[in-house]
Amino acid sequence: MSNSGKHQQRASDKPFQLLKEHQYAYTAVSELFHAVESSDPPLVYVYGPSGCGKTALITNLVPEFAEIHPEATFKIITASEFAAKFAAASNRNRIPQFQQTFRELDLLILEDIQSLESRTQTQRELLSVLDEIIKSGGMVVISSTKPPGELAHFHKKLVNRFHGGVCAAISSLKFQSRLELLTFWAELEQISIQKKELSLIAQKKELSPRELYAILMQLQTVSRIQQQPITNSFTRQFLEGNIEAPKTSVSKITKAVCREFKTNLAEIRSANRSQQIVLPRQCAMFLSRELTDESLAKIANYFNRKNHSTVIHACRHIQHGLEKSPGLRQQISRIKQQLGVYLL
């Protein structure tokens, strides 16, 4: 989902915890957003490994931008979504309308730029959009899993635009930061776990923050199902794979969603765009992303969607709905209970 407007913002999946490894990127984006007049440079390029917190860091600062610039228009969109919208506009002969939508923005936040590798036409259009926004005094934030110099098959001028901005790297978290993050999440989720058990998880240095969060939540789930406290021994056994977390699949999730919403598998995987089908389909995509290790592409394929940006849109839509709708939260909770995954 992309957002634009005077007061709109996108909520991140969970509260953001600023860590040492985030500091430079956080400062760079914050200074850009706080610029009252035209910022120099007007572009910040944030890069780091998948799951390191790029999106959370950026979106956490968006409310500050909206408060400082109450009349500004902005949009948050993935590069894949940008490409899909450009392709759709091209097919419908609506390129001028597409260009106007983006070029009049005061702030464009474009995520996962590396997904545009080898998309020559889209890159040219993006270059034009960035130049127009910057020429008009606007701001741009780009996120990527790669530094500009490692973007293969990218237009040289586009890479130069990225190099011309502030390039801020987010490195993999060190042990102390992993422990701090796990402690923060444990308090946030009200998980009864001691620091020495959190330290055992924090030693898993090969895991990203996103994966650490998943481990913590799985540990909590297993302890609830087995009615066992999260002791040092229990945690060690779980981390060693001697206690398995409950597993599910996209198929099982979708069937549980169908039962909750009183629809059927054929409808939810069809092209039907009626609200009574779209909502359960988005819930199934959201839960498939949250509760399985399947890729976005495989989830999209299961639901007969050509582009994984559909799954990204669904996840953001449902996450936003969960923050506003108690009814939707109850439905998601009941589905999880059916699956035996999270006993909420």
Side-chain angles (χ1 to χ4, degrees), residues 26 51 65 77 115 131 151 177 206 327:
Y26 190 89
F65 173 83
I77 189 171
S115 65
D131 286 348
L151 291 173
S177 292
E206 73 278 6

Side-chain angles (χ1 to χ4, degrees), residues 48-52 171-179 181-182 199-215 236 238-241:
S50 179
C52 71
S171 62
S172 298
L173 302 187
K174 303 232 174 346
F175 171 80
Q176 198 56 45
S177 292
R178 295 196 296 272
L179 180 57
L181 195 56
L182 287 164
S199 295
L200 291 175
I201 303 173
Q203 289 171 16
K204 309 280 284 184
K205 62 181 179 180
E206 73 278 6
L207 298 181
S208 69
R210 184 185 299 153
E211 291 166 328
L212 287 171
Y213 179 80
I215 289 262
R236 286 182 182 277
F238 174 77
L239 294 174
E240 290 169 1

Side-chain angles (χ1 to χ4, degrees), residues 188-310:
L188 181 71
E189 302 289 351
Q190 298 183 322
I191 300 173
S192 181
I193 183 171
Q194 300 300 312
K195 192 167 185 177
K196 58 183 180 179
E197 281 73 49
L198 290 173
S199 295
L200 291 175
I201 303 173
Q203 289 171 16
K204 309 280 284 184
K205 62 181 179 180
E206 73 278 6
L207 298 181
S208 69
R210 184 185 299 153
E211 291 166 328
L212 287 171
Y213 179 80
I215 289 262
L216 181 62
M217 297 308 295
Q218 287 173 358
L219 180 62
Q220 180 200 34
T221 300
V222 172
S223 73
R224 284 176 170 176
I225 291 174
Q226 298 196 4
Q227 297 183 337
Q228 294 287 332
I230 305 177
T231 62
N232 193 275
S233 174
F234 187 86
T235 303
R236 286 182 182 277
Q237 289 184 62
F238 174 77
L239 294 174
E240 290 169 1
N242 297 325
I243 303 175
E244 289 194 6
K247 294 181 179 178
T248 188
S249 66
V250 177
S251 176
K252 289 179 182 178
I253 289 168
T254 307
K255 289 174 183 177
V257 169
C258 287
R259 287 193 293 270
E260 173 64 28
F261 285 92
K262 296 180 173 55
T263 185
N264 60 66
L265 202 59
E267 284 281 12
I268 212 168
R269 298 178 70 190
S270 73
N272 190 329
R273 295 187 178 182
S274 64
Q275 183 56 28
Q276 53 264 47
I277 299 301
V278 169
L279 179 59
R281 181 186 298 135
Q282 289 181 330
C283 286
M285 290 180 176
F286 170 81
L287 289 168
S288 295
R289 181 62 171 158
E290 181 181 358
L291 303 177
T292 75
D293 295 326
E294 297 289 3
S295 67
L296 290 169
K298 285 187 177 181
I299 295 171
N301 184 61
Y302 179 84
F303 291 97
N304 298 310
R305 266 54 191 175
K306 295 180 181 179
N307 198 310
H308 69 263
S309 64
T310 305

Side-chain angles (χ1 to χ4, degrees), residues 132-159:
E132 193 66 33
I133 291 174
I134 292 171
K135 180 181 175 182
S136 302
M139 307 172 186
V140 178
V141 177
I142 305 286
S143 77
S144 176
T145 57
K146 301 177 180 180
E150 293 182 12
L151 291 173
H153 311 297
F154 258 73
H155 197 294
K156 185 177 179 180
K157 286 186 178 180
L158 195 54
V159 174

Side-chain angles (χ1 to χ4, degrees), residues 31-61:
E31 288 185 355
L32 178 71
F33 286 178
H34 280 75
V36 177
E37 298 180 356
S38 296
S39 177
D40 185 23
L43 184 148
V44 173
Y45 184 100
V46 179
Y47 66 96
S50 179
C52 71
K54 298 184 294 293
T55 295
L57 182 153
I58 295 165
T59 55
N60 181 70
L61 287 165

